[in-house]
Amino acid sequence: MGDSKEAGAEAPLAGARDRGGLSLLSPGEAEEPSTQGSALCLGGSEVKSRAVVKYSSAPPRAAFARLQEKTDLKLPPANWLRESAKLGPAGTTVLGNSKKSKPFSSFGMAYDFIDSVGNDVDVVSDSENIKKLLKIPYSKSHVSMAVHRVGRTLLLDELDTQELFMRSSQTGDWTWLKEFYQRLIDRKWQRKKKSKEHWHQKAILSKFLYYSINGDGAAQPVPSTAEQREPSGSDQTQDGGGASWPAPFDMPASVSEDPSASSQGLKNDFVRNILWTFEDIHMLVGSNMPIFGGGRYPAVSLRLRDNNKPINVLTGIDYWLDNLICNVPELVMCFHVNGIVQKYEMIKTEEIPDLENSNFSTKVIKDIAQNILSFLKSNCTKEGHTYWLFKASGSDIVKLYDLTTLCEETEDKYQNPFTMPVAILLYKVACNMMMKKNQNKKHYGTIRTLLLNCLKLLDKSRHPQIIASANYMLSELFQLDEPKKEESSECPLNENSDESYSEEEEEEEMPDSDENGSYSTSSDPPEDNKAVAVIKSVGELSVPEKYKSTHQIRPSCAFPVCRDTEERCKLVLSYVLEGLKSVDNSVRKESDLPAADPSTPIPLKYEDESTRGGPEGLEKQMALFLDKMGSLQKGNYSSQSGMIPGSWQHKMKLQLILKSSKAYYVLSDAAMSLQKYGRALRYIKLALQSHDTYCCLCTNMFSEVLLFLSQYLTLCGDIQLMLAQNASNRAAHLEEFNYQTKEDQEILHSLHRESSCQGFAWATDLSTDLESQLSVSCKCYEAANEILQFSDLKKQNPEHCVQVSKRMGNVRNEIGVFYMNQAAALQSERVVSKSVSTAEQQLWKKSFSCFEKGIHNFESIGDATNAALLLCNTGRLMRICAQAHCGAGDEFKREFSPEEGLYYNKAVDYYLKALRSLGTRDVHPAVWDSVNWELSTTYFTMATLQQDYAPLSRKAQEQIEKEVSEAMMKSLKHCDVDSTSARQPLCQYRAATIHHRLASMYHSCLRNQVGDEHLRKQHRVLADLHYGKAVALFQLLKDTPCELLRVQLERVAFAEFQMAGQNSNVGKLKTLSGALDIMVRTTHAFQLMRKELVEESGQPKSDAPSPAADSAPGLNREEALKLLSIFESRLSFLLLQSIRLLAPGKKKASSDVEGDAALRINKHVYSQLLRATASRDTSLLERVDVLLHLLGQLAGGSAVQ
């Protein structure tokens, strides 16, 4: 008798027989069964009916034994009431125990077929209840049913008021309903006793079934046992033995402790569960009707009738519906007179509506079914409520009451015995939907509504596990890492989505129309105002589409739309808190920790910075942390509350705590993106406290949880780093960090029941010291990286591993820069002649160590760009070390020291390594240009220092000049003057300065050198070359008139030096004309100078042509005056010399027109210059104007060529 289940699929006949199931048979298809259902043509109109057996525990179908005429059914057969394995479930049938459905029979079926509940099926019920509803317009008998709604599914159960009120008289459990019943329905209620005739008929029926199984009681073999127990037709099931009603909350511990366990009274006791589609109504029906073989079809139903009593309409409908539900094509009727068998008659199912005295319209039955379903759908709107459908005996009025509302008006609202089964069913349906991996987020609203309604029904003190589990599932519905775009696109805004979609507001909006017939109360007596809805006359049910479902039984349950991540996480945490409370209350004992007052803030533990020992203290705490992480791998367990590992409380609290840690992590990440760093640190502290508690409770740490911890610590490191970089708002960050909500406090109280939550205190303190914050940030990243090394997380999560390494490199760079800046500050405060202090050297070592580790971090992940930046910073550190050694000794006796050279060369090496790390400029142009500039600067600084502070005590002049020249040329090589960029003017200025310095050096060499004429000539050419390049570059710049003027003056001085060494007048005249030409070409410098002077004084510009230029930062007037005086002096000298050389006595008598013209112009300019320089009160601008005028005359006249 093993049970068999079919997962909703329609199986072929052979398979169904093997499993004791049924397949669908259409008329005329005895040999070839159909699995697609049958449309039976009944009474001339087609009624669509289709049945699929979902479950059957019946043995293989056997042919019934046809009894001989005159068999006396009053005499018991030999096998009567004997239990036999061959008889199957029928063997337990005893006289007086009717197969009346139990009050929770629909719940038993719903538990077994949870997939169908809420979505696919309209009704779940016993077939007897379905038949009773469809016979309402034809029957005067009373109807009393409990109706519950789960999603779009209605669960129908018989509510036996007789049994209920008998129980109430004994226990007092249902007094409120009994009083209500007596007050409004039946003022003189008394128990109705069954007649002797009733018991006599039941005995004959029982004996008939046993005879049919074994014939005349002989010992001949029987093909197979009967499939079912005794039938329960409408005329036999109106009365009978009492059902087993449990007391309110009289549930075994297994229900509250394990929601998946079935409880007494909630089992699926039906032999057969059938998915029956009647027209457009889908029903999951339980049936116990015996089905036999032996007729013209493989399946027949067997009935016993008194020949003296004709079949009436009620009996005909009963037989017809039974056969439709079980898809039995034929009915075998055995007639008897006073217990004596008379005859058998075979009737096809489709012929039953046309039997004499039992004629009815199948179309009307269809209309009744649709009207009743619409009526119930329209009015049974509140999920979790128990509705009572009641029709008094002999009455035409059908009323629907909300028993949950009535029960809540009593002292104990949990007196409704349906509360627990309904809550469990809501919970199971939600669980089932959650377990489906392919669930779309659109179903989350439905799941949430189911769980919220489940929680409304449960008593927190009696059902902690279901409450904790439901709250955890509610928290799981919210995807913490869900992108905002998905939120807005998938979840339509619904302001009332926090409430159930079946609240009273929706009901009040439904129209009061006569067509519905369920909301008009004007003609009802005043005492009927307790009814939710009323059918005024059962005759209305026969009118097609009289009742239309105006309430959408499964509306789109919109998931609540959260404005932002913070709101979504707060909702998650509210559910987590309720779950934690439920778990804590279930394990709380007298010996437990004293219950904390939620209104009292948890004291925050602060440590003095001095006691922590700064970074050294961090090292100790990190060592303890890593030791703890190692012990986690061994599965150590420590809980202060005494929870038993493996208990439901232990498992549930682990899940809730992990969820809270995730929520706080997401909150922290969101606050981080809003630059609320104090708030972010508070949230990540709560996340790490939650995780610390999880570690204390966990007996086996999963790699996924370790990955979470690594992510938490990484974010904590980010926050500490940002706090270090935003020290200006420290007060605001501190205020946000210390703020605590009541919800956060209560969650912390729950965490403190299990651990001290101090495992990560070293990472979450808000320090006021910059060095400490940077160190904490670094240690967080190091801890996150260490966790990745504990298992295969590094291989499984390469992206996260790369991010952690990148962050470690970044923070080590920050710490290195911090120490480097501190060293530079100490250096600036130090007296120039004082030697390098030990503190500076220690800071250099710390900075260098951080840079070195950071470079290793970036190189380990192949990040060439960032590695190059850290190499560049290391080069800068070397330059600072070099600068520190330049201060030793007397400033007047200062020389470029070997230590300076050593560190500058080290800096060059690091810059070159950075360029090699990048490879080519295409990798990262900006970084490449930056490194090139720094390298050029290093070469330039080194060359400048060697030139200005030549180490003549250690090296020869020629060697120094060679080294300076090489360094300058290398600097020039790495100085890109051609590429257009923001740095181009700087590069041009640098290159111009280099050329100027080289030209000055060769000029100086030429003046001081005696002897080697070849070398002198080489120096002369180089000096002239570099002067020319310097002038060309300075002319490209718009804000360097003084530099340009100085170079030109040096060129003039160079020309004068050359002229001094010449003997012939012709040579001197030629050199002199070149010098005057240089003087004329300084016009550009004076125009730039004039432009700046005009802008400074606010005078209008003259019409004199001047090149367009950007506003300069300001002219150095002192330097400009000095250079101007020199220029006037040298111009005066050159003009005087040219006049002397061009004088008539100095040249031949032959006429020289050009020479004469030049002489006149030079004399004229010379005289004007003497008059201009004679005046001492002339302003700088006026002097510049005069010079521009004079230079213009020289340029326009016939000057000496």
Side-chain angles (χ1 to χ4, degrees):
M1 283 199 315
D3 290 357
S4 65
K5 294 200 178 199
E6 302 171 31
E10 302 169 23
L13 179 62
R17 281 180 175 167
D18 293 342
R19 293 184 291 272
L22 292 178
S23 63
L24 295 186
L25 295 170
S26 297
E29 294 182 336
E31 299 300 326
E32 297 294 331
S34 164
T35 63
Q36 299 301 316
S38 56
L40 303 180
C41 295
L42 306 168
S45 63
E46 185 178 281
V47 174
K48 296 176 184 176
S49 175
R50 183 169 177 266
V52 178
V53 175
K54 302 283 283 184
Y55 162 82
S56 175
S57 62
R61 203 157 36 238
F64 67 93
R66 184 184 289 264
L67 305 184
Q68 297 178 0
E69 284 190 38
K70 308 302 181 183
T71 299
D72 189 354
L73 297 178
K74 295 189 293 296
L75 301 175
N79 64 340
W80 192 41
L81 302 183
R82 289 184 185 176
E83 293 189 14
S84 170
K86 291 192 301 178
L87 295 177
T92 60
T93 301
V94 295
L95 186 63
N97 182 20
S98 73
K99 276 310 293 172
K100 183 181 213 172
S101 64
K102 293 185 177 179
F104 300 104
S105 61
S106 68
F107 290 91
M109 279 191 289
Y111 291 169
D112 283 350
F113 300 99
I114 207 75
D115 276 338
S116 300
V117 176
N119 294 314
D120 305 328
V121 174
D122 295 303
V123 176
V124 177
S125 185
D126 183 358
S127 60
E128 298 304 315
N129 296 330
I130 301 292
K131 292 188 293 182
K132 190 178 292 186
L133 284 177
L134 298 185
K135 292 187 295 185
I136 283 179
Y138 301 93
S139 172
K140 293 296 183 182
S141 61
H142 86 288
V143 174
S144 176
M145 290 188 193
V147 184
H148 297 89
R149 178 187 144 222
V150 177
R152 68 179 292 249
T153 303
L154 297 175
L155 279 71
L156 306 179
D157 292 281
E158 184 173 5
L159 192 62
D160 189 344
T161 52
Q162 302 253 342
E163 174 65 23
L164 279 179
F165 299 156
M166 279 296 295
R167 180 182 181 86
S168 175
S169 301
Q170 299 168 7
T171 64
D173 289 336
W174 286 82
T175 52
W176 62 274
L177 184 58
K178 182 178 179 182
E179 291 172 1
F180 172 75
Y181 182 85
Q182 289 178 329
R183 185 171 72 252
L184 295 183
I185 300 168
D186 187 355
R187 300 180 184 278
K188 299 179 180 180
W189 176 85
Q190 58 181 1
R191 181 164 178 80
K192 298 173 183 176
K193 297 181 180 179
K194 294 179 172 60
S195 63
K196 291 182 179 179
E197 177 63 22
H198 168 80
W199 297 114
H200 175 67
Q201 292 297 328
K202 288 193 69 67
I204 289 179
L205 174 61
S206 176
K207 293 168 188 174
F208 168 67
L209 287 174
Y210 275 93
Y211 272 120
S212 299
I213 291 170
N214 256 7
D216 293 326
Q220 73 264 19
V222 181
S224 176
T225 59
E227 183 180 5
Q228 271 300 351
R229 308 177 206 176
E230 63 194 62
S232 44
S234 64
D235 55 339
Q236 290 124 0
T237 58
Q238 294 299 327
D239 302 306
S244 175
W245 278 88
F249 283 98
D250 186 18
M251 296 293 166
S254 60
V255 174
S256 59
E257 296 300 314
D258 183 5
S260 62
S262 46
S263 59
Q264 184 179 5
L266 298 179
K267 293 180 180 178
N268 182 0
D269 288 332
F270 295 104
V271 174
R272 192 178 296 103
N273 298 129
I274 301 162
L275 188 60
W276 181 40
T277 303
F278 185 58
E279 287 295 316
D280 58 347
I281 304 172
H282 304 283
M283 292 176 270
L284 181 62
V285 180
S287 173
N288 290 313
M289 185 181 76
I291 301 177
F292 298 89
R296 289 170 293 178
Y297 297 98
V300 297
S301 58
L302 191 60
R303 302 288 183 174
L304 179 66
R305 291 296 303 170
D306 191 334
N307 204 23
N308 295 327
K309 297 179 181 177
I311 299 176
N312 58 25
V313 173
L314 293 176
T315 306
I317 294 174
D318 209 56
Y319 292 170
W320 180 70
L321 288 173
D322 266 332
N323 278 18
L324 275 189
I325 291 170
C326 296
N327 203 50
V328 176
E330 194 170 32
L331 169 68
V332 175
M333 192 87 74
C334 176
F335 292 93
H336 74 96
V337 175
N338 197 22
I340 307 300
V341 175
Q342 300 296 313
K343 62 177 180 177
Y344 280 84
E345 185 176 334
M346 314 290 280
I347 305 170
K348 290 182 179 180
T349 300
E350 61 266 31
E351 295 172 353
I352 295 176
D354 299 321
L355 291 177
E356 189 179 356
N357 299 322
S358 179
N359 188 278
F360 60 91
S361 169
T362 58
K363 189 74 167 61
V364 172
I365 301 296
K366 180 202 73 171
D367 294 334
I368 294 170
Q370 290 174 336
N371 280 326
I372 289 177
L373 181 63
S374 296
F375 173 77
L376 292 176
K377 278 187 176 183
S378 297
N379 299 291
C380 301
T381 57
K382 295 183 181 179
E383 211 163 31
H385 279 226
T386 299
Y387 292 91
W388 181 23
L389 186 70
F390 179 78
K391 182 179 86 71
S393 181
S395 172
D396 282 346
I397 300 175
V398 181
K399 298 178 182 179
L400 185 70
Y401 298 95
D402 185 347
L403 290 188
T404 301
T405 304
L406 295 174
C407 183
E408 287 172 351
E409 296 172 1
T410 64
E411 294 181 1
D412 185 2
K413 69 174 183 178
Y414 296 107
Q415 277 222 356
N416 182 356
F418 284 101
T419 299
M420 187 63 187
V422 173
I424 292 180
L425 182 58
L426 294 172
Y427 173 83
K428 284 195 168 191
V429 173
C431 279
N432 182 65
M433 295 179 79
M434 284 283 285
M435 293 298 289
K436 292 182 180 177
K437 300 293 183 185
N438 60 347
Q439 277 292 345
N440 192 295
K441 289 182 181 177
K442 291 178 181 177
H443 292 129
Y444 280 8
T446 303
I447 298 171
R448 179 173 177 271
T449 304
L450 290 166
L451 292 171
L452 289 176
N453 287 328
C454 168
L455 290 172
K456 288 178 185 176
L457 297 174
L458 295 174
D459 183 3
K460 292 182 180 181
S461 62
R462 300 176 182 176
H463 308 285
Q465 184 183 3
I466 302 179
I467 289 172
S469 181
N471 277 296
Y472 173 69
M473 282 198 291
L474 281 167
S475 71
E476 279 289 290
L477 290 175
F478 293 85
Q479 301 300 309
L480 293 175
D481 54 352
E482 181 179 338
K484 292 182 179 179
K485 290 183 180 178
E486 290 184 19
E487 279 181 20
S488 57
S489 61
E490 291 192 12
C491 301
L493 186 62
N494 182 1
E495 294 177 358
N496 297 324
S497 56
D498 281 349
E499 301 298 327
S500 170
Y501 50 73
S502 57
E503 292 298 322
E504 293 178 1
E505 289 81 5
E506 296 182 12
E507 295 176 20
E508 291 171 2
E509 293 172 5
M510 298 180 62
D512 292 342
S513 80
D514 293 335
E515 185 181 12
N516 292 334
S518 57
Y519 291 92
S520 175
T521 58
S522 57
S523 60
D524 292 337
E527 60 268 26
D528 284 346
N529 58 5
K530 296 286 185 181
V532 174
V534 177
I535 298 176
K536 298 174 186 177
S537 172
V538 294
E540 295 178 351
L541 295 173
S542 304
V543 180
E545 297 186 1
K546 173 65 178 176
Y547 292 90
K548 294 179 181 177
S549 180
T550 55
H551 183 275
Q552 191 180 0
I553 200 76
R554 173 56 75 203
S556 109
C557 303
F559 199 59
V561 175
C562 302
R563 290 189 300 273
D564 51 23
T565 303
E566 185 171 1
E567 186 178 349
R568 184 164 64 245
C569 290
K570 290 295 179 65
L571 271 174
V572 169
L573 289 170
S574 67
Y575 293 129
V576 167
L577 176 58
E578 290 303 315
L580 287 173
K581 285 180 178 178
S582 185
V583 173
D584 291 341
N585 289 336
S586 70
V587 296
R588 182 166 292 162
K589 300 174 184 176
E590 292 297 327
S591 60
D592 277 345
L593 293 172
D597 181 9
S599 61
T600 305
I602 296 176
L604 298 174
K605 298 183 179 180
Y606 294 104
E607 291 184 59
D608 186 16
E609 294 293 332
S610 60
T611 62
R612 293 178 56 209
E616 293 77 12
L618 273 178
E619 293 290 346
K620 295 178 182 177
Q621 295 184 46
M622 270 293 296
L624 292 172
F625 163 74
L626 293 176
D627 181 62
K628 179 179 178 180
M629 293 307 300
S631 68
L632 284 176
Q633 301 299 304
K634 302 171 186 175
N636 290 350
Y637 171 82
S638 60
S639 167
Q640 296 178 3
S641 68
M643 276 195 305
I644 301 171
S647 64
W648 75 261
Q649 290 98 333
H650 177 250
K651 293 176 182 177
M652 184 54 63
K653 191 156 191 177
L654 274 177
Q655 295 301 316
L656 289 166
I657 290 173
L658 188 60
K659 190 70 178 181
S660 71
S661 71
K662 291 179 186 177
Y664 281 127
Y665 168 73
V666 175
L667 278 171
S668 179
D669 190 45
M672 179 81 171
S673 64
L674 296 173
Q675 299 181 355
K676 302 290 185 181
Y677 304 122
R679 188 191 309 173
L681 186 61
R682 170 165 57 90
Y683 284 137
I684 201 65
K685 180 176 183 178
L686 288 164
L688 287 168
Q689 286 177 320
S690 299
H691 204 285
D692 187 36
T693 307
Y694 183 93
C695 294
C696 291
L697 293 178
C698 191
T699 56
N700 183 21
M701 187 66 68
F702 297 102
S703 59
E704 181 189 12
V705 179
L706 285 174
L707 178 61
F708 289 151
L709 179 55
S710 178
Q711 292 171 342
Y712 299 168
L713 287 168
T714 303
L715 179 59
C716 187
D718 293 346
I719 296 166
Q720 292 282 13
L721 179 59
M722 295 311 297
L723 284 167
Q725 293 175 350
N726 291 269
S728 58
N729 292 330
R730 184 170 281 125
H733 296 321
L734 184 62
E735 184 180 354
E736 285 186 333
F737 176 70
N738 290 331
Y739 175 76
Q740 268 192 337
T741 65
K742 182 180 179 182
E743 200 168 64
D744 294 340
Q745 291 176 25
E746 290 180 331
I747 290 176
L748 262 179
H749 284 308
S750 180
L751 298 179
H752 279 296
R753 286 174 56 83
E754 312 302 336
S755 83
S756 62
C757 301
Q758 294 298 312
F760 299 97
W762 58 270
T764 55
D765 283 340
L766 180 54
S767 173
T768 56
D769 178 48
L770 181 60
E771 180 184 0
S772 177
Q773 285 178 321
L774 290 171
S775 299
V776 169
S777 177
C778 186
K779 294 302 176 186
C780 286
Y781 295 137
E782 289 175 5
N785 189 54
E786 288 291 337
I787 290 167
L788 294 173
Q789 312 301 326
F790 282 136
S791 57
D792 292 334
L793 286 173
K794 195 169 184 178
K795 296 178 182 177
Q796 296 170 4
N797 304 274
E799 290 184 8
H800 178 61
C801 189
V802 166
Q803 288 299 318
V804 172
S805 295
K806 190 171 286 189
R807 282 169 162 80
M808 271 200 295
N810 178 53
V811 76
R812 280 169 172 164
N813 176 56
E814 293 284 341
I815 298 173
V817 170
F818 170 77
Y819 288 135
M820 182 169 66
N821 291 338
Q822 277 197 324
L826 280 179
Q827 178 185 320
S828 65
E829 294 169 2
R830 177 164 47 90
V831 179
V832 176
S833 60
K834 194 175 180 182
S835 60
V836 179
S837 66
T838 308
E840 280 182 84
Q841 293 177 344
Q842 290 297 323
L843 289 170
W844 294 344
K845 289 179 182 178
K846 288 180 180 180
S847 179
F848 180 75
S849 174
C850 290
F851 286 142
E852 200 171 35
K853 290 176 182 177
I855 292 166
H856 175 72
N857 290 138
F858 287 123
E859 287 178 346
S860 68
I861 58 175
D863 191 342
T865 304
N866 281 316
L869 285 172
L870 261 73
L871 285 165
C872 190
N873 279 340
T874 311
R876 184 178 161 220
L877 175 65
M878 296 298 106
R879 285 163 58 191
I880 289 176
C881 295
Q883 291 167 14
H885 287 86
C886 77
D890 189 359
E891 180 66 23
F892 297 103
K893 300 177 182 179
R894 160 146 162 67
E895 286 187 356
F896 184 73
S897 66
E899 291 83 3
E900 286 179 88
L902 175 67
Y903 281 114
Y904 276 122
N905 282 316
K906 282 185 177 181
V908 167
D909 289 340
Y910 282 112
Y911 288 131
L912 290 173
K913 281 182 183 178
L915 290 178
R916 286 196 295 273
S917 174
L918 289 171
T920 62
R921 186 175 184 273
D922 297 336
V923 173
H924 201 297
V927 175
W928 177 274
D929 292 344
S930 178
V931 174
N932 252 327
W933 173 254
E934 295 294 333
L935 180 56
S936 172
T937 304
T938 305
Y939 278 127
F940 176 73
T941 305
M942 190 162 52
T944 303
L945 290 171
Q946 279 185 295
Q947 190 177 15
D948 295 346
Y949 305 100
L952 295 172
S953 64
R954 292 183 291 109
K955 295 180 182 179
Q957 180 72 32
E958 292 79 6
Q959 186 183 355
I960 294 171
E961 289 171 1
K962 182 181 177 183
E963 288 179 0
V964 168
S965 177
E966 288 176 353
M968 286 291 189
M969 294 311 292
K970 287 179 180 176
S971 177
L972 202 58
K973 175 186 173 184
H974 294 284
C975 190
D976 185 5
V977 295
D978 300 322
S979 299
T980 304
S981 66
R983 195 181 274 125
Q984 188 182 26
L986 285 175
C987 292
Q988 290 171 340
Y989 183 82
R990 166 74 53 77
T993 306
I994 290 172
H995 286 298
H996 179 201
R997 277 185 164 271
L998 284 171
S1000 297
M1001 185 180 73
Y1002 291 127
H1003 185 181
S1004 176
C1005 291
L1006 191 63
R1007 282 177 179 274
N1008 300 326
Q1009 198 171 35
V1010 180
D1012 192 345
E1013 190 60 34
H1014 173 72
L1015 192 60
R1016 285 175 60 83
K1017 184 178 180 181
Q1018 187 179 1
H1019 284 166
R1020 186 183 300 114
V1021 171
L1022 287 172
D1024 193 51
L1025 174 68
H1026 286 298
Y1027 274 133
K1029 289 184 176 180
V1031 169
L1033 286 166
F1034 276 130
Q1035 283 180 335
L1036 294 174
L1037 300 170
K1038 301 177 178 63
D1039 55 355
T1040 56
C1042 292
E1043 286 83 351
L1044 178 57
L1045 187 57
R1046 183 183 294 110
V1047 174
Q1048 295 288 40
L1049 287 171
E1050 284 190 21
R1051 290 181 74 187
V1052 169
F1054 183 63
E1056 290 178 3
F1057 173 73
Q1058 286 179 296
M1059 190 175 66
Q1062 293 174 331
N1063 297 320
S1064 67
N1065 287 342
V1066 175
K1068 286 184 178 181
L1069 197 60
K1070 186 176 180 180
T1071 305
L1072 193 61
S1073 89
L1076 280 172
D1077 188 51
I1078 293 171
M1079 285 291 198
V1080 170
R1081 278 184 283 177
T1082 57
T1083 304
H1084 178 70
F1086 286 119
Q1087 286 173 339
L1088 291 176
M1089 200 178 290
R1090 183 183 186 280
K1091 179 177 180 292
E1092 290 187 20
L1093 290 170
V1094 169
E1095 288 178 353
E1096 285 181 7
S1097 62
Q1099 293 179 8
K1101 298 178 183 178
S1102 68
D1103 296 334
S1106 72
D1110 295 334
S1111 176
L1115 185 68
N1116 188 337
R1117 301 178 72 91
E1118 183 180 349
E1119 185 180 9
L1121 281 168
K1122 182 180 177 182
L1123 290 171
L1124 205 62
S1125 298
I1126 296 172
F1127 183 85
E1128 290 169 348
S1129 169
R1130 299 331 298 162
L1131 180 60
S1132 176
F1133 172 78
L1134 291 174
L1135 287 170
L1136 179 61
Q1137 291 300 318
S1138 70
I1139 291 168
R1140 287 176 179 176
L1141 289 172
L1142 289 170
K1146 298 288 182 180
K1147 58 183 182 178
K1148 296 178 180 179
S1150 60
S1151 65
D1152 186 357
V1153 178
E1154 292 181 358
D1156 293 341
L1159 181 61
R1160 283 196 309 272
I1161 291 172
N1162 289 352
K1163 283 183 177 180
H1164 179 67
V1165 171
Y1166 181 65
S1167 65
Q1168 284 185 312
L1169 180 61
L1170 288 176
R1171 282 195 294 269
T1173 54
S1175 176
R1176 295 181 178 274
D1177 56 351
T1178 309
S1179 69
L1180 180 61
L1181 180 60
E1182 290 171 345
R1183 291 172 69 180
V1184 170
D1185 285 336
V1186 168
L1187 287 173
L1188 282 171
H1189 176 69
L1190 294 176
L1191 291 174
Q1193 289 182 10
L1194 283 173
S1198 301
V1200 177
Q1201 301 299 317

